[in-house]
Amino acid sequence: MKRQAYQPILITDASRSQDDQLTSRQKRYVLMMGIRVVCVIVGAVLVGAQAPMLWLWLPLVGLGMILIPWLAVLLANDRPPKEQHRLARRFQPRRRDDTPPMSLTAEERPHKVIDAEP
């Protein structure tokens, strides 16, 4: 019987939990909505102060007030891509992996110490 090579499982390969993903999306949404509020305030201040080049600044601030909520909703509803579609393997030819599997040397293998004397 052929033994399979030892391949350690790395915690860094694990995907993020659903709660972590939701929390990061919520923080990103709140940050973007905060930027939108700043755009509204800056627009009001610019109009009230009758700033020079108002014809340039007002459309830029207005564009930020329109695009940022749209982008915030898109990013808040987005989730990380799936690792691999389950049917993709059936339609793609199998690739041969030429890299040797990781295995432990004799010194690295865990071993039991057996006492010969009772």
Side-chain angles (χ1 to χ4, degrees), residues 82-93:
K82 293 182 179 178
E83 294 296 323
Q84 187 176 22
H85 193 271
R86 59 185 171 163
L87 294 178
R89 291 176 288 207
R90 293 184 182 209
F91 298 115
Q92 293 178 354

Side-chain angles (χ1 to χ4, degrees), residues 42-117:
V42 167
V45 168
L46 288 174
V47 169
Q50 294 183 356
M53 297 195 328
L54 189 62
W55 58 272
L56 175 67
W57 294 112
L58 208 54
L60 289 175
V61 172
L63 192 64
M65 289 187 294
I66 292 170
L67 286 180
I68 288 177
W70 177 68
L71 288 173
V73 170
L74 283 179
L75 292 175
N77 289 328
D78 192 24
R79 64 176 187 194
K82 293 182 179 178
E83 294 296 323
Q84 187 176 22
H85 193 271
R86 59 185 171 163
L87 294 178
R89 291 176 288 207
R90 293 184 182 209
F91 298 115
Q92 293 178 354
R94 292 184 181 177
R95 296 180 190 149
R96 188 170 179 202
D97 189 15
D98 293 333
T99 58
M102 294 178 57
S103 62
L104 296 177
T105 62
E107 293 82 24
E108 295 173 332
R109 285 193 195 114
H111 59 281
K112 295 180 184 178
V113 177
I114 301 173
D115 289 333
E117 297 177 26

Side-chain angles (χ1 to χ4, degrees), residues 1-30:
M1 178 189 301
K2 186 176 180 181
R3 282 183 68 187
Q4 292 205 354
Y6 173 75
Q7 294 183 345
I9 298 172
L10 301 175
I11 191 66
T12 56
D13 292 340
S15 62
R16 293 175 53 198
S17 70
Q18 294 286 337
D19 291 335
D20 288 344
Q21 291 176 19
L22 179 64
T23 303
S24 68
R25 288 184 295 171
Q26 287 173 340
K27 287 178 183 177
R28 189 180 326 139
Y29 181 81
V30 168

